[in-house]
Amino acid sequence: MSLIQVSQMKKSFGSLDVLKNINFEVERSQVVAVIGPSGSGKSTMLRSLVHLEQIDGGSICVEGDYLAKDGVYANHQTLKRITSKMGMVFQHFNLFPHFTVKENLELAPKYVKRASAGEIRHKSADLLEKVGLSDKANEYPSRLSGGQKQRVAIARALMMSPAILLFDEPTSALDPELTGEVLQVIKQLAEENMTMVVVTHEMGFAREVADQVLFMDDGEVVEAGPPQQLFTNPQHKRTQAFLNTILK
């Protein structure tokens, strides 16, 4: 069974249809890159998976549990259980400025997970080492570069031991020289078989790391396939036009 199954997902803001009949699946340990022009619905689709946006129709199934089925959402307890399986990394980091790096990592587990203080401290230290920021544990976010903030945000998402990580354009707010350090952490997670859905403008990353690429345009998944196929031999005219523009 796929880890995530999305079928006929629809979402409108007033009269604007932002998502139109979205269908795709994510297998366990797979990296799915979502590409497409700005305004194509990529971020709305991603946020819908973790119930930050409410869909108007269709189904979202995670590990066999329905977040929403035929547009009807599960009860509150089930929603909480399903969304706890997913970690989200945002474009603009969303770190708490008045907490240190270590405190940002440890806040949610203290209130949500029934782990001891010692276990939480040990895990935060391990994850900061993993993202190369052990020396920043007691710094405040204002003292970090954009790339360091995003690596802290990734470590914070991992603190909750999610089955799936969702990334919403994790490098688009970064200067080009800081992009590489964030992508390297995501590549490392891919090598460790973390299941990930990554909305990205980084075509080189999508080509190198993704197992599957979804091309979205105008609220639809226009084309999907392995990166080798989608980048070298796109079948749809809209995909061809987008790649011709972006890969010049």
Side-chain angles (χ1 to χ4, degrees):
M1 179 187 289
S2 301
L3 202 57
I4 301 174
Q5 293 173 296
V6 173
S7 58
Q8 300 181 311
M9 184 204 286
K10 300 176 182 70
K11 170 71 181 174
S12 300
F13 293 115
S15 61
L16 179 64
D17 295 331
V18 180
L19 301 177
K20 307 169 186 174
N21 211 36
I22 299 286
N23 298 277
F24 68 92
E25 296 186 3
V26 181
E27 304 296 333
R28 194 175 297 279
S29 303
Q30 194 175 45
V31 180
V32 175
V34 185
I35 65 171
S38 296
S40 58
K42 304 184 302 295
S43 292
T44 301
M45 180 276 290
L46 196 73
R47 291 169 63 85
S48 297
L49 296 181
V50 74
H51 199 221
L52 292 174
E53 298 285 358
Q54 189 155 330
I55 61 173
D56 300 315
S59 302
I60 302 168
C61 186
V62 180
E63 284 194 318
D65 280 337
Y66 278 96
L67 185 81
K69 187 170 186 180
D70 299 327
V72 179
Y73 276 89
N75 62 47
H76 177 72
Q77 196 171 5
T78 304
L79 287 176
K80 200 171 174 183
R81 187 180 78 248
I82 295 171
T83 54
S84 71
K85 298 176 181 181
M86 294 179 273
M88 182 93 172
V89 179
F90 299 90
Q91 183 177 343
H92 293 291
F93 327 127
N94 291 11
L95 299 177
F96 294 109
H98 54 296
F99 288 148
T100 65
V101 164
K102 181 174 176 289
E103 288 167 342
N104 264 281
L105 263 65
E106 295 178 2
L107 183 67
K110 279 179 182 173
Y111 289 100
V112 179
K113 294 272 185 183
R114 290 179 180 169
S116 70
E119 287 175 303
I120 292 170
R121 279 198 306 272
H122 183 71
K123 185 163 188 176
S124 68
D126 283 351
L127 285 171
L128 285 176
E129 183 177 355
K130 184 187 194 75
V131 300
L133 292 172
S134 293
D135 58 332
K136 304 294 184 184
N138 296 309
E139 296 282 8
Y140 287 90
S142 61
R143 308 261 303 170
L144 304 180
S145 71
Q148 289 170 333
K149 288 176 187 174
Q150 195 58 294
R151 284 187 280 154
V152 171
I154 294 170
R156 181 178 62 177
L158 290 169
M159 282 293 292
M160 302 300 286
S161 304
I164 305 149
L165 269 184
L166 308 176
F167 291 87
D168 188 8
E169 299 188 8
T171 60
S172 64
L174 303 179
D175 294 332
E177 65 268 23
L178 300 176
T179 294
E181 65 189 56
V182 173
L183 293 180
Q184 191 54 48
V185 172
I186 300 174
K187 286 178 189 175
Q188 182 185 341
L189 292 171
E191 289 165 6
E192 295 168 2
N193 296 318
M194 185 79 203
T195 307
M196 295 183 280
V197 182
V198 187
V199 171
T200 184
H201 289 298
E202 299 289 337
M203 297 301 125
F205 167 82
R207 179 178 271 173
E208 180 187 349
V209 179
D211 302 296
Q212 184 87 347
V213 180
L214 306 183
F215 169 64
M216 286 185 66
D217 191 19
D218 193 27
E220 301 175 302
V221 176
V222 175
E223 189 168 346
Q228 182 66 20
Q229 174 194 313
L230 194 132
F231 283 109
T232 60
N233 189 27
Q235 300 300 300
H236 200 285
K237 284 183 180 177
R238 278 197 277 174
T239 318
Q240 293 165 8
F242 173 76
L243 292 175
N244 284 342
T245 303
I246 211 92
L247 298 177
K248 275 183 180 176

